[in-house]
């Protein structure tokens, strides 16, 4: 039985298959036909009848949605992901382990076929978010809840999560404490940029990164407690799916939609049972301070990757102070729910000591400075103080977000075949890095 199960595993199904990127770009249906024929449920003739369309907005891999009218017994729609050249930026092996972990936990889609330079994934029938729709108060709260659950559940459910980060400097330190991976990742990316494109690195103003990074690390460590979770690190709207919403996420009339969203009611919103967000695409996921993930998401409000100026950072689109605080409140409420699950749920539904410690650290009396009487008002006070501390931490971590993506843009300028102004993107991120660094260190 074990041999039979192995024969039908995703890796066995795709064994020996490799697709050529040039052929995929010219004729994706033909280039992906062998992969589609290996997909579970796709019977003879299904691949030939399929429609294949590229999913726009992906900037690391080539992603296609493939749908067949049949014959098929299951998986009539699937996602095919052809890996890009991210070797200088992330480990494909680590990404695979993280994807499989998310799949096992039900956090992400199932893996159907693994081939040499990509995979076939379950198609999740969620709604694609847009730069405008992710600003809706209920959607923003659902994103915060999804982020909190991801941070806890991916942290400690299986050892592979921590092992996947260890190669990026994100595993336990000498004393056994979890460390954020962002500092080692930035050092590695800076070294890669210096090797590949030193002229561009100097051009955008990133020649003294190791010294500046050490200064920032010491400054943040002195000001804030460390809250390390397993973070997505790329929570832009294209890496999230919305379930249970009937509202359109079309990006048509984007500027008007953004204005309406930003001028709408400021009352706190919480995700309802009918609204859920799932995070997808885990290339850059590692151990990190959760504040980095929150800061990264706030920065992503400034982009519309489906516009003619996809690389442009729109300062006026950033969330207001109140919108940021509402997001942090929703995150803390979701973290309280995670903590309650740890305390009261069956052992098989709990997510391990590391996840429990993360929730406890964020909601601790030390962070919240509670009066300690255990009342409902005291719990609300702890939650509010934790939300405001998370907001302060996120605003301080924005400097690392800008530095990371500035380096990413410089490296991708040399490595990527995608139609995107990586160098223009990098220049803008580095400008904001220097501005936020100066402001942070002056505090």
């Amino acid at each position: 039985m074990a041999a039979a199960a192995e024969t039908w595993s995703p890796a066995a199904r795709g064994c020996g298959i490799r697709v050529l990127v040039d052929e995929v770009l010219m004729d994706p249906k033909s280039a992906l036909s062998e992969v589609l024929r290996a997909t579970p449920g796709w019977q003879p003739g299904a691949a030939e009848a399929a429609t294949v369309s590229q999913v726009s907005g992906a900037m690391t891999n080539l992603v296609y949605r493939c749908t067949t009218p049949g014959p098929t017994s299951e998986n009539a729609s699937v996602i095919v992901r052809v890996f890009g050249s991210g070797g200088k930026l992330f480990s494909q092996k680590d990404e695979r382990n993280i994807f499989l972990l998310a799949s096992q936990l039900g956090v992400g889609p199932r893996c159907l076929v693994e081939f040499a330079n990509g995979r076939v994934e379950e198609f999740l029938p969620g709604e694609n978010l847009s730069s405008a729709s992710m600003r809706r108060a209920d959607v923003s709260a659902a994103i915060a809840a999804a982020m909190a659950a991801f941070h806890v559940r991916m942290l400690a459910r299986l050892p592979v999560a921590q092992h996947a980060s260890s190669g990026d400097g994100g595993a336990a330190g000498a004393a056994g404490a979890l460390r954020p991976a962002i500092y080692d990742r930035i050092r590695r990316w800076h070294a890669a940029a210096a090797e590949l494109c030193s002229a561009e690195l100097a051009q955008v103003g990133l020649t003294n990164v190791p010294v500046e990074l050490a200064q920032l690390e010491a400054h943040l460590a002195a000001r804030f407690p460390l809250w390390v979770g397993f973070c997505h690190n790329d929570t832009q709207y294209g890496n999230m799916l919305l379930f249970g919403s009937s509202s359109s996420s079309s990006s048509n009339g984007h500027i008007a939609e953004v204005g309406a969203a930003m001028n709408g009611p400021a009352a706190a919103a919480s995700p309802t049972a009918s609204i859920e967000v799932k995070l997808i695409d885990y290339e850059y996921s590692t151990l990190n301070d959760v504040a980095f993930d929150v800061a990264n998401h706030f920065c992503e409000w400034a982009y519309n990757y489906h516009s003619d100026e996809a690389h442009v950072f729109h300062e006026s689109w950033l969330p207001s102070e109140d919108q940021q605080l509402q997001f942090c409140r929703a995150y803390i409420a979701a973290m309280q729910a995670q903590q309650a699950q740890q305390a009261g749920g069956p052992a098989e539904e709990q997510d391990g000591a590391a996840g429990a410690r993360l929730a406890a650290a964020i909601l601790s009396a030390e962070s919240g400075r509670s009066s300690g009487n255990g009342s409902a008002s005291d719990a609300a006070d702890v939650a509010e103080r934790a939300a405001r501390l998370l907001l302060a931490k996120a605003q301080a971590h924005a400097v690392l977000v800008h530095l990371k993506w500035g380096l990413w843009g410089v490296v991708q300028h040399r490595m990527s075949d995608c139609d995107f102004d990586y160098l223009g993107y990098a220049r803008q991120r580095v400008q904001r890095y220097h501005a936020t660094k100066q402001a942070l260190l002056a505090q």
Side-chain angles (χ1 to χ4, degrees):
M1 292 296 293
E6 179 64 24
T7 300
W8 296 105
S9 70
R13 284 181 173 277
C15 182
I17 301 177
R18 174 179 288 275
V19 302
L20 299 178
V21 172
D22 289 345
E23 293 182 3
V24 173
L25 291 171
M26 287 189 298
D27 187 354
K29 181 176 178 178
S30 175
L32 298 177
S33 60
E34 185 178 7
V35 170
L36 294 175
R37 283 193 289 269
T39 299
W42 284 49
Q43 298 169 12
E48 289 72 20
T51 58
V52 177
S53 57
Q54 187 169 5
V55 178
S56 62
M59 291 179 288
T60 301
N61 303 313
L62 295 173
V63 182
Y64 295 87
R65 180 180 175 183
C66 306
T67 304
T68 183
T72 180
S73 59
E74 58 178 328
N75 302 315
S77 286
V78 297
I79 295 293
V80 179
R81 186 179 305 275
V82 181
F83 299 145
S85 53
K88 295 286 186 181
L89 298 173
F90 63 89
S91 162
Q92 202 70 66
K93 178 181 177 182
D94 287 354
E95 189 277 339
R96 174 186 182 271
N97 289 338
I98 294 164
F99 178 86
L100 294 178
L101 173 61
S103 178
Q104 292 165 12
L105 293 176
V107 173
R110 292 181 298 125
C111 181
L112 303 176
V113 180
E114 290 187 276
F115 54 97
N117 58 330
R119 63 174 170 255
V120 181
E121 303 170 5
E122 173 191 21
F123 172 73
L124 297 177
E127 180 180 343
N128 294 318
L129 289 178
S130 69
S131 178
S133 66
M134 74 173 178
R135 301 164 187 274
R136 281 173 30 197
D138 58 340
V139 174
S140 184
I143 293 170
M147 194 181 291
F150 190 90
H151 290 165
V152 170
R153 298 191 68 196
M154 293 290 288
L155 175 64
R157 190 64 164 183
L158 291 177
V160 68
Q162 294 180 17
H163 176 71
S165 290
S166 63
D168 208 15
L178 297 177
R179 295 179 55 246
I182 186 61
Y183 300 105
D184 285 345
R185 169 162 283 185
I186 287 175
R187 291 184 186 99
R188 288 174 52 250
W189 285 14
H190 181 258
E195 176 187 342
L196 288 172
C197 41
S198 57
E200 289 90 338
L201 201 61
Q203 180 184 346
V204 300
L206 288 179
T207 56
N208 200 32
V209 166
V211 174
E212 294 174 8
L213 188 63
Q215 188 179 19
L216 290 169
E217 184 174 8
H219 184 85
L220 290 171
R223 284 189 60 192
F224 299 109
L226 188 61
W227 297 341
V228 177
F230 197 82
C231 294
H232 186 280
N233 297 324
D234 190 17
T235 47
Q236 54 121 319
Y237 65 84
N239 291 336
M240 298 180 281
L241 292 175
L242 177 66
F243 296 84
S245 171
S246 60
S247 299
S248 171
S249 63
S250 169
S251 60
N252 294 332
H254 175 78
I255 302 298
E257 290 182 47
V258 169
M262 295 183 68
N263 294 322
S270 60
T272 66
S274 61
I275 296 287
E276 180 186 8
V277 165
K278 284 195 174 184
L279 308 183
I280 59 174
D281 295 355
Y282 314 115
E283 290 92 342
Y284 301 106
S285 299
T286 61
L287 290 173
N288 233 344
D289 193 302
V290 301
F292 180 94
D293 235 3
V294 175
N296 185 86
H297 177 65
F298 290 163
C299 290
E300 289 297 337
W301 279 46
Y303 288 100
N304 180 7
Y305 297 115
H306 292 82
S307 72
D308 293 334
E309 294 183 327
H311 68 286
V312 174
F313 186 98
H314 298 272
E315 190 92 32
S316 64
W317 293 0
L318 288 171
S320 67
E321 184 91 3
D322 186 68
Q323 286 172 317
Q324 293 178 48
L325 180 57
Q326 300 305 338
F327 184 95
C328 292
R329 286 170 175 161
Y331 179 95
I332 294 301
M335 192 59 71
Q336 288 177 314
Q338 291 293 319
Q339 187 180 54
Q341 178 179 321
Q342 297 294 313
E348 63 271 15
E349 293 182 6
Q350 296 180 13
D351 292 310
R357 284 196 297 270
L358 172 62
I362 293 174
L363 300 170
S364 68
E366 178 182 352
S367 295
R369 302 179 187 272
S370 73
S371 61
N373 61 24
S375 68
S377 61
D378 183 57
D381 181 64
V382 169
E384 180 64 16
R385 291 180 181 273
R388 290 184 179 275
L389 179 54
L390 175 60
L391 175 59
K393 279 169 58 73
Q395 291 174 341
H397 277 74
V399 63
L400 298 177
V401 174
H402 290 309
L403 177 55
K404 171 194 167 181
W405 291 115
L407 286 167
W408 176 87
V410 172
V411 174
Q412 289 286 68
H413 170 68
R414 280 294 183 95
M415 293 180 56
S416 179
D417 297 324
C418 292
D419 182 17
F420 185 80
D421 185 358
Y422 290 104
L423 196 57
Y425 172 93
R427 287 193 188 98
Q428 294 191 8
R429 296 311 292 259
V430 174
Q431 288 172 0
R432 280 158 183 83
Y433 160 65
H434 287 303
T436 52
K437 173 169 66 71
Q438 183 177 5
L440 177 67
L441 295 179
Q443 294 176 358

